[in-house]
Amino acid sequence: MAKQETGANIGYEEKLWQMADKLRGSMDAAEYKHVVLGLLFLKYVSDSFEELHAKLKEEEYADEEDRDEYLAQNIFWVPKEARWSYLKVNAKQPEIGQMVDAAMIAIEKENESLKGILPKIYARPDLDKRRLGETIDLFSSILVGDQKSKASDVLGRVYEYFLAQFASAEGKNGGEFYTPSSVVQLLVEMIEPYKGRIYDPCCGSGGMFIQSEKFVENHQGKLGDIAVYGQESNPTTWRLCKMNLAIRGIDSNLGGEHADTFHKDLHKSLKADYILANPPFNISDWGGNRLLDDARWKFGIPPEGNANYAWIQHMVSKLAPSGTAGFVLANGSMSTSQKSELEIRKNLVDNDLVECIVTLPGQLFYSTSIPVSLWFVTRNKATRGQRNRKGETLFIDARKLGFMADRTHKEFSNEDIKKVADTFHAWRGTNDYEYEDVLGFCKAAPLDEIRGHEYVLTPGRYVGLEELEEDEEPFEDKMDRLTGELAEQFAKSKTLEDEIRKTLRGIGFEV
């Protein structure tokens, strides 16, 4: 297999975090994240700009200050006062805070969709300017926006790491802020969003949209062939998404504000051709008790203690007549016997909406170890150009695919993604392969068989593998990985312990 870029650890997230944390001082984590993520954004657009700037400078007839040169290549034009090189030179100046604010304002002026989005809080008195300057110096040593970093989505992974750290600092769980790029790529290759409306009801930082645009471009389509609709409840992430899409030149409708999809649907009349999503797993405090009569619950009222089946029904309600949704859910959703969830799943199956289920290997996610699967639902299993698959559901067990990209994270290779996507399209009748069931990997099951399994959708039940154990990692490798993880935890524990001792000592107590 050819060596490919991995999406797991990039190796310096922790160092970067430690650099950025210097800036924190006494600032609350909730405020501080705007400061740091704003700097990262600025670094990204500057890296991208300055890479092309240097290239144009060497070309005989090119003008490196001609903004059209940048727009032609879909590179964000960065005014002189907003370039990282300018800020770096002035990092030690007492006015550095005003300079960063001015840089943000200059960037917003260049892009209408970013108006009011970028943080302009660097001149505030409680932000230590010496530390801000040091942080700019330290950020200068890494690249996040050049071609190589973009190819391996360094920005996305740094954002994920930082968001998880911020969440932890704010007393929340790390959560699933970022969908690994190989999982997004698999989703996109399966639903093939060539043209139409794409919707993500919990769009995070916009990874699904970015991968969809890449798919369109890779298939000789145009950037404008798809219309992007999204919604995000977290205000910081909503801003991040706006930034993320803007720097890639993707027009989007994310609503005028951040908002909760269940309680304030910003796209009420939308019917999407494609839905791609990675909803937060197993949310228990989603306010279901206030939505008991909601029109979206056509297949049953989802339980108040878990939003998984509310997400599914919300997405089904947004599908166009021939639309398809592909989304990530925790594995428990395939087999839960909770009364209302089982009832909804039964109704989805009996109404022939469940198109395909794919179980994924463990360790794919960067900040959560919850095992997950992909669901695909569609309103029409006999869309023009596809084989009539009414009354069938495809099950794929992909737990044995993927490779260890580093000690703790797994990824799909391009061959893995092709294998699963080709199987799906062969079954749909949309490629040149002839579909056939493969023991232990895939099975097209009729509805009666699913009913015979009491509507449990776990692929292992259908493809011939009852064994749920996904662990094929050699013992030596596993011990090596686990002891490595343990050592990291010990080191973190020691650091925290020292900090607590130091804090207590500061107020006159020794431990």
Side-chain angles (χ1 to χ4, degrees):
M1 186 179 70
K3 191 177 178 186
Q4 76 177 53
E5 290 281 355
T6 74
N9 280 341
I10 47 177
Y12 50 74
E13 303 95 322
E14 194 167 352
K15 186 182 165 203
L16 208 57
W17 170 257
Q18 284 166 358
M19 294 175 189
D21 208 33
K22 287 180 71 172
L23 190 60
R24 181 171 171 183
S26 58
M27 197 181 291
D28 180 68
E31 294 178 80
Y32 163 64
K33 69 183 168 197
H34 294 287
V35 174
V36 172
L37 294 176
L39 281 181
L40 258 182
F41 169 80
L42 210 50
K43 183 72 170 67
Y44 180 93
V45 294
S46 287
D47 282 353
S48 181
F49 172 86
E50 288 180 4
E51 186 180 40
L52 182 56
H53 189 269
K55 193 175 160 196
L56 291 172
K57 213 169 174 178
E58 289 178 5
E59 290 180 12
E60 191 176 355
Y61 298 107
D63 176 4
E64 70 272 15
E65 292 299 328
D66 179 358
R67 69 200 306 278
D68 290 341
E69 295 270 15
Y70 298 85
L71 298 180
Q73 297 195 42
N74 209 23
I75 300 281
F76 209 89
W77 165 258
V78 182
K80 282 185 179 174
E81 67 272 30
R83 293 175 196 170
W84 195 265
S85 51
Y86 173 78
L87 297 175
K88 187 184 168 193
V89 167
N90 290 290
K92 301 288 191 299
Q93 300 296 322
E95 302 80 21
I96 185 63
Q98 286 95 320
M99 289 178 184
V100 177
D101 282 348
M104 296 292 182
I105 292 166
I107 296 274
E108 283 191 357
K109 276 186 185 167
E110 287 295 324
N111 192 314
E112 187 64 24
S113 69
L114 286 176
K115 198 171 179 184
I117 297 295
L118 302 181
K120 293 167 281 290
I121 48 180
Y122 297 88
R124 50 193 278 183
D126 59 344
L127 189 69
D128 186 324
K129 302 303 177 294
R130 181 181 59 79
R131 285 181 170 165
L132 175 59
E134 287 175 3
T135 307
I136 289 172
D137 272 348
L138 290 166
F139 270 33
S140 300
S141 64
I142 57 121
L143 288 172
V144 293
D146 63 320
Q147 287 293 339
K148 191 178 170 193
S149 305
K150 281 181 189 170
S152 47
D153 199 14
V154 169
L155 180 74
R157 282 178 286 148
V158 170
Y159 264 142
E160 182 203 18
Y161 184 85
F162 274 35
L163 285 170
Q165 295 292 326
F166 285 126
S168 175
E170 289 172 48
K172 299 172 189 167
N173 291 325
E176 49 288 333
F177 297 102
Y178 175 78
T179 314
S181 59
S182 73
V183 175
V184 181
Q185 199 183 338
L186 175 59
L187 274 169
V188 170
E189 291 293 334
M190 288 181 76
I191 77 166
E192 296 188 318
Y194 286 108
K195 199 170 191 175
R197 288 153 295 184
I198 296 186
Y199 171 58
D200 183 345
C202 39
C203 61
S205 56
M208 301 288 183
F209 302 137
I210 290 159
Q211 193 63 45
S212 297
E213 291 282 1
K214 280 184 193 168
F215 177 85
V216 170
E217 286 181 341
N218 290 341
H219 291 80
Q220 286 72 52
K222 295 194 294 287
L223 203 60
D225 282 350
I226 55 175
V228 165
Y229 297 85
Q231 180 158 349
E232 172 57 44
S233 63
N234 183 304
T236 303
T237 315
W238 182 77
R239 283 199 182 100
L240 284 180
C241 188
K242 297 275 283 185
M243 295 181 207
N244 213 359
L245 298 181
I247 54 184
R248 289 167 163 93
I250 299 173
D251 285 333
S252 61
N253 181 347
L254 305 183
E257 59 187 338
H258 62 93
D260 183 301
T261 299
F262 293 129
H263 297 275
K264 191 176 182 184
D265 182 1
L266 297 177
H267 304 289
K268 277 195 172 157
S269 59
L270 175 68
K271 292 295 177 190
D273 301 295
Y274 309 97
I275 297 177
L276 286 160
N278 174 21
F281 305 144
N282 303 324
I283 302 183
S284 57
D285 57 346
W286 63 286
N289 58 331
R290 290 179 278 131
L291 295 169
L292 297 178
D293 298 324
D294 198 285
R296 289 170 288 189
W297 314 149
K298 287 200 170 140
F299 304 96
I301 298 173
E304 292 176 19
N306 192 316
N308 288 348
Y309 276 81
W311 284 114
I312 296 174
Q313 292 198 82
H314 172 80
M315 287 187 265
V316 170
S317 78
K318 291 292 184 190
L319 279 177
S322 290
T324 300
F327 47 90
V328 185
L329 278 184
N331 274 359
S333 61
M334 299 184 292
S335 58
T336 171
S337 55
Q338 198 276 346
K339 191 176 172 188
S340 55
E341 291 180 323
L342 174 57
E343 180 65 18
I344 297 167
R345 192 168 69 245
K346 173 180 178 299
N347 290 332
L348 290 169
V349 170
D350 285 340
N351 280 277
D352 208 10
L353 288 161
V354 181
E355 186 175 24
C356 177
I357 302 282
V358 184
T359 36
L360 303 182
Q363 297 176 257
L364 280 173
F365 276 68
Y366 195 53
S367 54
T368 177
S369 58
I370 296 175
V372 300
S373 49
L374 304 183
W375 284 58
F376 295 85
V377 298
T378 181
R379 285 189 178 280
N380 185 1
K381 289 184 181 172
T383 301
R384 186 185 295 176
Q386 298 179 4
R387 184 177 72 84
N388 185 338
R389 305 159 332 274
K390 286 186 177 175
E392 276 182 30
T393 295
L394 179 65
F395 293 93
I396 298 177
D397 188 341
R399 288 176 300 165
K400 290 185 177 175
L401 301 184
F403 65 98
M404 294 304 291
D406 64 17
R407 290 157 60 93
T408 52
H409 297 102
K410 203 171 233 188
E411 276 188 29
F412 284 129
S413 66
N414 293 333
E415 290 81 359
D416 294 330
I417 291 169
K418 187 172 185 321
K419 180 177 180 180
V420 177
D422 279 351
T423 302
F424 182 62
H425 293 301
W427 175 72
R428 269 185 163 188
T430 51
N431 64 11
D432 294 332
Y433 301 110
E434 189 169 336
Y435 174 81
E436 57 181 41
D437 294 341
V438 177
L439 188 65
F441 178 63
C442 63
K443 168 79 186 282
L447 294 188
D448 279 346
E449 188 175 346
I450 300 173
R451 291 182 186 117
H453 283 288
E454 298 176 327
Y455 298 95
V456 168
L457 298 178
T458 308
R461 290 219 177 187
Y462 302 90
V463 303
L465 280 182
E466 289 292 336
E467 179 59 59
L468 292 176
E469 181 59 53
E470 62 197 33
D471 189 358
E472 287 202 331
E473 194 177 358
F475 177 76
E476 294 298 330
D477 291 353
K478 187 171 189 176
M479 285 307 293
D480 194 32
R481 175 174 62 77
L482 291 175
T483 50
E485 285 176 22
L486 191 60
E488 283 175 23
Q489 294 301 321
F490 282 161
K492 283 183 184 170
S493 165
K494 176 73 171 51
T495 306
L496 282 173
E497 201 177 294
D498 290 345
E499 281 180 14
I500 292 168
R501 283 179 198 281
K502 188 178 166 188
T503 306
L504 286 171
R505 198 175 300 125
I507 55 174
F509 295 94
E510 284 290 342
V511 178

